[in-house]
């Protein structure tokens, strides 16, 4: 397929001082520098943060795709909308966009430790017709990555020259991933929960199947390292490199 949905990329850094969580985040030109959620009170502890970027490419001939994403503090989410799940003429992005906006709001209100609750609340009140996979992750101030994946989107942690972690995907059968939807019996509770201890310098990649179907984990790691060597630790550059490679490979295989 010639479509790559959102590729969210975060590079992990550690600070020795306690940061004020109210100094939240700034946003510019596709890059977000994020502050820290004060989950454990004002204690002396190592603080971890993500510097995140993203890239998204619609199908050739379209101005946008059906996928959506969010970045909220030290949490990220990717939602792969399903075009075939809505009647002709309706916006297939509406369902995934509602999930993204309202999961983000839930994380902001409840805190990153409640990402599953935020996703579930968004899914339960989604008024749109359609369907979407979902992958939502968050990192606490001690560098612990927690997340849930429902379907064939997913998260990968790149460390050095290896893929240190890849979230499991879920499918009922070939080309039928688990998905939240107005006509689906799948629920957030059916998703796969995961936890992973991050290290400083790790790269966290969140993406829809447009990346995973076209670029193997080992190649993702190689591309990250090559991009960092050329452009420095710029999450936007890494995200665009990965998305462009997925587009190139999907076009060759079409």
């Amino acid at each position: 397929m010639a479509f790559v949905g959102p590729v969210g990329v975060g590079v992990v850094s550690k600070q020795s001082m306690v940061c004020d969580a109210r100094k939240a985040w700034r946003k510019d030109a596709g890059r977000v520098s994020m502050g820290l959620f004060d989950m454990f009170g004002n204690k002396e502890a190592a603080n971890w943060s993500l510097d995140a970027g993203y890239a998204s490419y619609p199908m050739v001939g379209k101005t946008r795709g059906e996928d959506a994403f969010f970045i909220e503090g030290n949490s990220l989410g990717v939602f792969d909308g399903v075009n075939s799940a809505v009647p002709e003429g309706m916006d297939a992005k509406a369902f995934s966009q509602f999930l993204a906006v309202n999961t983000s709001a839930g994380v902001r209100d409840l805190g990153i430790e409640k990402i599953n609750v935020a996703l579930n609340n968004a899914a339960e009140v989604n008024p749109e017709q359609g369907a979407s996979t979902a992958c939502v992750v968050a990192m606490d101030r001690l560098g612990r990555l927690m997340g849930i994946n429902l379907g064939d989107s997913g998260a990968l942690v790149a460390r050095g020259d290896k893929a240190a972690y890849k979230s499991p995907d879920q499918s009922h059968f070939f080309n039928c991933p688990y998905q939240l939807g107005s006509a689906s019996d799948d629920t957030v509770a059916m998703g796969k929960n995961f936890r992973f201890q991050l290290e400083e310098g790790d790269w966290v990649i969140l993406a829809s199947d447009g990346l995973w179907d076209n670029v193997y984990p080992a190649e993702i790691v190689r591309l990250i390292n090559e991009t960092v060597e050329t452009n420095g630790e710029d999450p936007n550059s890494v995200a665009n490199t990965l998305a462009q490679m997925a587009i190139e490979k999907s076009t060759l295989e079409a």
Side-chain angles (χ1 to χ4, degrees):
M1 63 182 172
F3 170 75
V4 176
V7 178
V9 175
V11 60
V12 179
S13 61
K14 182 171 66 174
Q15 304 168 2
S16 59
M17 66 181 66
V18 174
C19 295
D20 185 347
R22 289 171 295 181
K23 296 176 181 176
W25 52 294
R26 64 178 179 81
K27 181 176 181 180
D28 54 82
R31 182 177 175 121
V32 181
S33 294
M34 293 170 283
L36 302 170
F37 281 84
D38 194 7
M39 291 177 60
F40 303 106
N42 208 16
K43 299 178 180 178
E44 283 294 331
N47 288 311
W48 297 69
S49 63
L50 288 171
D51 190 21
Y54 62 88
S56 184
Y57 291 79
M59 186 179 295
V60 175
K62 288 188 175 184
T63 57
R64 66 173 189 165
E66 290 80 36
D67 296 1
F69 76 101
F70 74 83
I71 300 172
E72 178 63 47
N74 279 353
S75 66
L76 307 90
V78 165
F79 305 86
D80 186 357
V82 182
N83 186 57
S84 60
V86 297
E88 186 175 353
M90 293 191 67
D91 186 2
K93 189 182 179 71
F95 189 91
S96 60
Q97 186 70 52
F98 185 95
L99 287 178
V101 170
N102 287 275
T103 302
S104 176
V107 170
R108 187 165 57 249
D109 293 340
L110 301 172
I112 57 174
E113 71 276 15
K114 299 290 188 181
I115 53 171
N116 289 28
V117 176
L119 174 59
N120 188 68
N121 289 349
E124 287 188 342
V125 299
N126 196 336
E128 306 292 345
Q129 291 191 54
S132 175
T133 67
C135 184
V136 181
V137 303
M139 184 188 72
D140 70 18
R141 61 187 292 169
L142 299 179
R144 296 174 296 199
L145 185 72
M146 63 197 83
I148 182 170
N149 187 55
L150 182 89
D152 57 3
S153 294
L156 179 143
V157 177
R159 177 177 297 164
D161 60 356
K162 298 182 182 299
Y165 178 79
K166 172 68 171 66
S167 63
D169 58 8
Q170 299 172 300
S171 294
H172 293 289
F173 48 84
F174 178 72
N175 208 30
C176 183
Y178 284 30
Q179 54 196 259
L180 303 171
S182 53
S184 173
D185 292 328
D186 297 341
T187 66
V188 172
M190 298 167 64
K192 290 287 188 180
N193 293 285
F194 56 89
R195 289 178 178 270
F196 187 78
Q197 180 62 54
L198 297 170
E199 296 181 1
E200 188 171 10
D202 284 352
W203 288 85
V204 180
I205 312 299
L206 212 65
S208 65
D209 64 336
L211 177 66
W212 313 122
D213 288 352
N214 293 292
V215 189
Y216 290 115
E219 187 168 12
I220 290 173
V221 173
R222 177 183 63 79
L223 289 168
I224 291 171
N225 289 331
E226 289 178 355
T227 304
V228 169
E229 186 175 348
T230 302
N231 299 326
E233 291 187 339
D234 179 9
N236 261 350
S237 293
V238 171
N240 277 286
T241 295
L242 296 178
Q244 289 168 6
M245 177 59 73
I247 285 285
E248 179 181 325
K249 289 206 165 189
S250 66
T251 302
L252 291 173
E253 294 171 2

